[in-house]
Amino acid sequence: MMDRLSAHYWLNEKTYAAASSDAVIARRREALERFEAMGFPTKRDEEWKYTSIKGLLKPAYKLVSPFASEYSDEQVEFKDIKQYMVNDIDCYKVVFINGCYSSWLSETTHQGFDVCTVGSAWKKYPEIVDAHFAKLSSQGGALSQLNTALAWDGLYVRVPKGVIVDKPIQVLYFTTGSQPTFISTRSLIILESGAHAEVIERHQSITKEGIWVNAVDEVFMDDNSSLHWVKLQHDRDSASLTQHSIIEQGRDSRATFHTISTDGKLIRNNLDFRLTGTGAEANMYGLTLANGKQLIDHHTRVDHLAAHCLSRENYKGIYDGKSHGVFNGKIMVHQDAQKTQAFQNNDSLLLSDKARIDTKPQLEIFADDVACSHGCTVGQLDEEALFYMRSRGIEEETARAMLMVGFASDAIEGIQHPSLRAKLSRLIGLKLGLNMEFSV
Amino acid sequence: MLQIKNLHASIGDRDILKGINLDVKPGEVHAIMGPNGSGKSTLANVIAGREDYTITKGSIHMEGKDIMEMDPELRALQGLFLSFQYPIEIPGVTVSNFVKTALNELRKGRGESAMDASVMLKKMKASLALLEMDKGFLSRPLNEGFSGGEKKRNEIFQMAMLEPRLAILDETDSGLDIDALRIVANGVNALRGSNRSFVVITHYQRLLDHIVPDHVHVLYDGKIVKSGDKSLAMELEAKGYDWIKKAQS
């Protein structure tokens, strides 16, 4: 597959070159070389010790040509995708189908700030995109490098100084087709000082064919900016996602990410924060509900590079069937990052003998005046609590589901929009077998 | 209401209950007293249907029905309620959600429709008032971070909501200061009636000053060794349990 991907790049290099500067092409070539040198990750790679992508490499994927939409709007009908959208919150919408922008389904803006696509930003603001493209991802692993070589489109947001984006930005990456397809998506978010934005992101396959989306997000947050990002990972069990999101944060900025992973075949999230300005704050919350043969892998990393920064991390997971979870949370407190506060927690429930979680908190501290903690628990449902609930007349199955929803609830508490939170708690309840309205 | 005959129960290979006989009639309050380790909590848990115990002999009937094979939730549906000695903390489930679910599950079991939300809220408010509890209780995660007194009040609050026919109060007085004890006892007394019975399990007599029992039993080494009226409780308070132990050995 590696050879095919490389050939695909060279075949399309002219198209890439037509859209951007020579500097970007040079970065793409470098990234491709790095990818070729690294090769696809294997379990021998420390970062991929528990997650094998062997299965992902098998299908003869169709590769999509850059900047060429193969899906006209008529082929994907609104009624087929409406259910995957958050409809009850007024949002900007940026919709892609197999990696290509669908203007018909989208609602973008350039009034006061830009909510559009990387592809169109390359035409409108080439200097800005060129200046940022691959700046953060250049240190990434093989899959990030592959994305840098091949990706050409995804969400683009740029918010000028002091501007607050008035409503959430919903970005939807739909995938479809009659054969297995490999897609690269890439977003670029630039928040200038004091800017604020909210993003709701979803990758959704609408075909039964095997889909592999390999995504990269680069987020630049200037001083005092703030960002809320909700990742909804409820894809089909034939669809896989590997994603690397890198967030660079300036002074007193605040980023909050919620990753809700309930469905999909293989999900690998790499979520990296670089706290470069003093007083920056990064919050990560995750909820994983896995069953069947799902593999859901969260790798997070926070680099505390400046003093007085705060990172909070709380990931919860419930694993049933033969599912497999991975949590690897790395906190690096660098030498200059005095007065760092870093808190990390990962709790897992295993509901079956065959389910498995590999959890590895990693804390490396090179500064001497810091407050850091990490903890992880792995357990089963509390039998005492079950008896307590049943003794009040609650059926065993409902009691189990309530306990699980209760366990999961703090992972979504911080989601700002009540209707999105309610939608998620319904979805979580349903996934856990609780067929009732359940408020958190 | 509740008839227990020659009940033997064990946990692992340890016999704990060694032939309990108890007959609780509608409207009666029975107090079960006894030293630590005599089997009081085991008795409460066995009646409520905890699965850790093996019943080796005897029978438990509620209103003529054999409840021994019933799941705990079915026993609750028969009208049984156990106020826990150590109420369990359940993160992420609020008091109101829990009580609402329990009440509606019981209604469903009786073939009734779910309770109207406004009726439910009224009932909750009345029950809160009975226990001198603040409305903020409802939105707190069940028992999480509650003080000992709050936990016990919350148990009686749930009892007021679920309106059982037979309530077993397992050491409801433990960990309560005098004010909380009065509040909890007032709550229980308000729920007394000709068709509701109580089994009050306690180590000390002081709860029985507030909840006056019709019958008092002394449990020792898995058996009821002495029964009497409320004066027995006072005798125990004055003399301690040693004379009971001596009489048995």
Side-chain angles (χ1 to χ4, degrees), chain A residues 387-401:
Chain A
F387 175 62
Y388 183 70
M389 298 173 93
R390 293 174 72 191
S391 81
R392 299 291 191 253
I394 299 171
E395 270 185 38
E396 186 174 1
E397 223 169 290
T398 311
R400 282 181 179 279

Side-chain angles (χ1 to χ4, degrees), chain A residues 356-412:
Chain A
R356 178 176 152 193
I357 170 81
D358 291 291
T359 176
K360 187 178 169 194
Q362 259 179 292
L363 198 52
E364 291 182 33
I365 304 174
F366 300 100
D368 49 22
D369 184 10
V370 301
C372 299
S373 71
H374 62 81
C376 71
T377 65
V378 178
Q380 279 94 35
L381 279 183
D382 181 357
E383 291 294 327
E384 290 281 310
L386 275 178
F387 175 62
Y388 183 70
M389 298 173 93
R390 293 174 72 191
S391 81
R392 299 291 191 253
I394 299 171
E395 270 185 38
E396 186 174 1
E397 223 169 290
T398 311
R400 282 181 179 279
M402 281 181 87
L403 278 183
M404 289 189 275
V405 171
F407 169 83
S409 65
D410 60 352
I412 64 167

Side-chain angles (χ1 to χ4, degrees), chain A residues 9-201:
Chain A
Y9 173 75
W10 293 114
L11 189 67
N12 291 288
E13 191 181 47
K14 272 190 188 148
T15 319
Y16 289 118
S20 55
S21 68
D22 292 348
V24 167
I25 291 302
R27 272 173 246 163
R28 286 193 191 274
R29 284 187 182 185
E30 278 166 30
L32 189 68
E33 272 170 33
R34 283 195 208 109
F35 164 67
E36 286 169 345
M38 292 185 218
F40 280 111
T42 68
K43 288 183 125 177
R44 283 190 299 276
D45 185 337
E46 186 62 28
E47 291 290 300
W48 293 82
K49 200 172 165 183
Y50 304 108
T51 299
S52 166
I53 62 162
K54 253 192 212 158
L56 271 187
L57 301 178
K58 277 185 195 149
Y61 290 105
K62 181 181 159 171
L63 304 173
V64 184
S65 304
F67 301 103
S69 177
E70 295 184 357
Y71 283 84
S72 60
D73 290 338
E74 295 85 58
Q75 280 172 282
V76 175
E77 290 191 57
F78 184 62
K79 68 173 172 54
D80 297 329
I81 59 168
K82 185 171 182 270
Q83 58 175 306
Y84 303 116
M85 297 176 142
V86 176
N87 296 303
D88 47 4
I89 303 172
D90 188 21
C91 292
Y92 295 107
K93 288 188 194 80
V94 187
V95 180
F96 298 86
I97 296 166
N98 283 13
C100 293
Y101 177 55
S102 166
S103 59
W104 180 69
L105 294 163
S106 299
E107 184 195 333
T108 59
T109 185
H110 296 287
Q111 300 286 316
F113 46 87
D114 299 301
V115 175
C116 60
T117 72
V118 171
S120 72
W122 240 316
K123 286 184 201 134
K124 280 197 170 84
Y125 321 108
E127 298 81 14
I128 295 173
V129 183
D130 284 0
H132 291 88
F133 183 80
K135 199 180 149 196
L136 298 179
S137 68
S138 60
Q139 303 295 314
L143 296 179
S144 301
Q145 303 300 338
L146 175 62
N147 179 284
T148 299
L150 295 181
W152 72 92
D153 215 348
L155 175 67
Y156 177 82
V157 177
R158 179 165 168 255
V159 189
K161 190 177 172 181
V163 173
I164 288 170
V165 179
D166 55 338
K167 49 189 187 180
I169 299 156
Q170 195 177 166
V171 56
L172 296 133
Y173 297 98
F174 289 105
T175 42
T176 185
S178 54
Q179 65 188 92
T181 306
F182 174 81
I183 314 264
S184 308
T185 68
R186 183 165 189 115
S187 68
L188 175 59
I189 316 293
I190 303 163
L191 302 183
E192 293 185 3
S193 66
H196 171 77
E198 285 176 51
V199 175
I200 302 168
E201 175 202 14

Side-chain angles (χ1 to χ4, degrees), chain A residues 382-385 387-398 402-403 405-407 409 436-440, chain B residues 45 49-51 71-73 76 81-82 84 88 90-93 97-98 101-102 105-106 142-143 155 158 162:
Chain A
D382 181 357
E383 291 294 327
E384 290 281 310
F387 175 62
Y388 183 70
M389 298 173 93
R390 293 174 72 191
S391 81
R392 299 291 191 253
I394 299 171
E395 270 185 38
E396 186 174 1
E397 223 169 290
T398 311
M402 281 181 87
L403 278 183
V405 171
F407 169 83
S409 65
M436 61 175 76
E437 188 84 16
F438 197 92
S439 61
V440 179
Chain B
N45 282 303
R50 188 190 282 265
E51 280 152 6
D71 284 336
E73 56 267 39
F81 180 92
L82 170 64
F84 279 54
I88 314 292
I90 304 186
V93 177
N97 235 320
F98 180 67
T101 307
E105 288 256 312
L106 290 173
L142 189 62
N143 292 321
E155 293 290 283
Q158 291 177 42
L162 301 179

Side-chain angles (χ1 to χ4, degrees), chain B residues 217-233:
Chain B
H217 311 278
V218 180
L219 189 64
Y220 179 68
D221 193 23
K223 278 181 282 205
I224 289 174
V225 293
K226 203 164 178 55
S227 295
D229 61 12
K230 63 182 178 189
S231 61
L232 176 57

Side-chain angles (χ1 to χ4, degrees), chain A residues 289-356:
Chain A
L289 308 175
N291 54 19
K293 290 182 176 172
Q294 284 182 287
L295 196 168
I296 299 179
D297 176 343
H298 298 287
H299 268 63
T300 65
R301 176 179 174 134
V302 186
D303 281 278
H304 282 265
L305 293 153
H308 294 281
C309 292
L310 165 67
S311 66
R312 282 193 205 97
E313 178 165 22
N314 189 12
Y315 273 65
K316 297 277 186 102
I318 303 179
Y319 303 89
D320 203 351
K322 292 179 179 169
S323 66
H324 180 187
V326 180
F327 173 82
N328 184 309
K330 197 182 276 182
I331 298 172
M332 304 282 292
V333 182
H334 296 259
Q335 208 170 353
D336 296 334
Q338 299 297 353
K339 304 283 181 191
T340 286
Q341 293 185 76
F343 309 107
Q344 184 189 78
N345 189 52
N346 174 231
D347 296 323
S348 306
L349 285 180
L350 294 179
L351 301 184
S352 92
D353 295 342
K354 300 244 166 74
R356 178 176 152 193

